[in-house]
Amino acid sequence: NPWDVMLCVSGTAIACENALVVAIICYSPSLRTPMFVLVGSLATADLLAGLGLILNFVFQYVIRSETVSLLTVGFLVASFAASVSSLLAITVDRYLSLYNALTYYSERTVLCIHTMLAGAWGVSLCLGLLPVLGWNCLHDHAACSVVRPLTKSNVTLLSASFFLIFLIMLHLYIEICKIVCRHAHQIALQQHFLTASHYVATKKGVSTLAIILGTFGASWLPFAIYCVVGDPDYPSVYTYATLLPATYNSMINPIIYAYRNQEIQRSMWVLFCDCFQAKVSFRSRSPSDV
């Protein structure tokens, strides 16, 4: 099946990209701030998702077993759920870094970040275990969804969770845009005029937020909607055509959240070239730098 081949190729690219991000964050002692902990969580989840796509291909064509297939599907559900949850945690972190700028760099923030991550991974693990523990359609094909062996009620729960996370992220990014515009206006008032650079910076920040949310929505919304309205009797090509773009989100995440960051760029120089020159200046970016 060429669709399965494309999913395997996509999983390989996802695994390689995010493995590099995880290696850089683990290798660099300077990348221990809450922001990079969240980026590391996202990269780890996407790395596991990429490995899950590869394993799904291998077990589907090399080792045929319903039990192994069920475990693989549960692994994929947990990995992608952790990826989406990590994106929500990053959004919350960016909002807090702007809304509570004075108290952001405190022990309370670190505790909040770790609590969010523990909750995100805990919920994701539970969602992945549901089909393994019996919420599947292996013995009741009438209950199957467009994603076998998940049941219709299972994918409805997953889709509803995604819609809720998407709405929360949309609300938070709207609030971030308001804060960014308000800060730019306050700076302009202090300088008694609105310079072109302030307008460009504000426009760039809002555009970047739109790209982040637009990429996330364009990747996952078609698949989430199809899981709700689709029927298992529909051709499987519809499932593949909506699932493949969803995997691209894990391929784009490292570019948006990691490789654009100058601290990670510097660590890549040190890790691969060991020829970083001190005269090259890098500006440390905060979570609010979008």
Side-chain angles (χ1 to χ4, degrees):
N1 188 336
W3 287 99
D4 288 328
V5 174
M6 286 190 287
L7 283 174
C8 184
V9 172
S10 176
T12 304
I14 290 169
C16 293
E17 277 186 300
N18 289 281
L20 177 58
V21 176
V22 173
I24 291 171
I25 293 177
C26 293
Y27 172 81
S28 306
S30 61
L31 304 181
R32 296 291 187 269
T33 62
M35 177 183 67
F36 290 111
V37 170
L38 291 172
V39 173
S41 170
L42 175 62
T44 302
D46 287 333
L47 169 61
L48 294 177
L51 294 176
L53 291 172
I54 299 173
L55 292 175
N56 182 65
F57 179 84
V58 172
F59 291 136
Q60 188 172 356
Y61 290 96
V62 179
I63 306 174
R64 292 181 174 272
S65 170
E66 286 187 345
T67 303
V68 174
S69 174
L70 195 61
L71 290 172
T72 305
V73 170
F75 183 78
L76 282 171
V77 169
S79 301
F80 280 118
S83 176
V84 174
S85 300
S86 296
L87 286 174
L88 176 61
I90 289 175
T91 306
V92 173
D93 179 60
R94 285 180 165 177
Y95 174 75
L96 292 177
S97 69
L98 288 170
Y99 185 76
N100 296 323
L102 296 178
T103 60
Y104 176 76
Y105 294 98
S106 64
E107 293 295 330
R108 184 178 180 181
T109 300
V110 176
L111 178 61
C112 178
I113 295 300
H114 290 164
T115 303
M116 279 197 300
L117 287 181
W121 281 92
V123 171
S124 301
L125 182 61
C126 291
L127 291 174
L129 286 175
L130 288 178
V132 179
L133 296 178
W135 201 5
N136 58 69
C137 61
L138 291 180
H139 305 293
D140 184 12
H141 294 286
C144 280
S145 66
V146 295
V147 184
R148 296 181 177 87
L150 300 181
T151 64
K152 295 178 182 178
S153 54
N154 195 342
V155 297
T156 300
L157 172 64
L158 294 174
S159 298
S161 302
F162 167 79
F163 292 136
L164 177 61
I165 290 176
F166 182 76
L167 290 176
I168 295 174
M169 289 179 63
L170 177 62
H171 172 72
L172 289 176
Y173 274 128
I174 290 175
E175 293 299 318
I176 289 174
C177 286
K178 291 179 180 179
I179 295 173
V180 170
C181 293
R182 186 164 60 247
H183 286 180
H185 183 66
Q186 290 173 350
I187 293 173
L189 290 178
Q190 291 175 359
Q191 296 182 356
H192 305 295
F193 60 91
L194 182 62
T195 63
S197 61
H198 290 144
Y199 173 76
V200 172
T202 303
K203 184 178 179 180
K204 181 181 179 182
V206 174
S207 299
T208 305
L209 291 175
I211 292 173
I212 291 172
L213 194 61
T215 302
F216 176 65
S219 299
W220 277 106
L221 276 177
F223 181 67
I225 294 174
Y226 182 69
C227 284
V228 176
V229 303
D231 189 272
D233 294 329
Y234 291 170
S236 59
V237 65
Y238 296 157
T239 302
Y240 283 113
T242 53
L243 176 60
L244 188 61
T247 65
Y248 292 159
N249 187 66
S250 296
M251 197 182 302
I252 298 172
N253 283 338
I255 300 174
I256 295 178
Y257 295 97
Y259 295 133
R260 291 174 62 248
N261 187 283
Q262 292 183 345
E263 291 290 334
I264 290 183
Q265 291 174 9
R266 178 174 61 182
S267 298
M268 288 179 64
W269 275 82
V270 175
L271 181 62
F272 291 105
C273 302
D274 199 25
C275 57
F276 176 75
Q277 302 295 327
K279 63 181 180 181
V280 181
S281 62
F282 289 88
R283 182 178 63 88
S284 180
R285 295 162 64 91
S286 70
S288 58
D289 288 335
V290 294

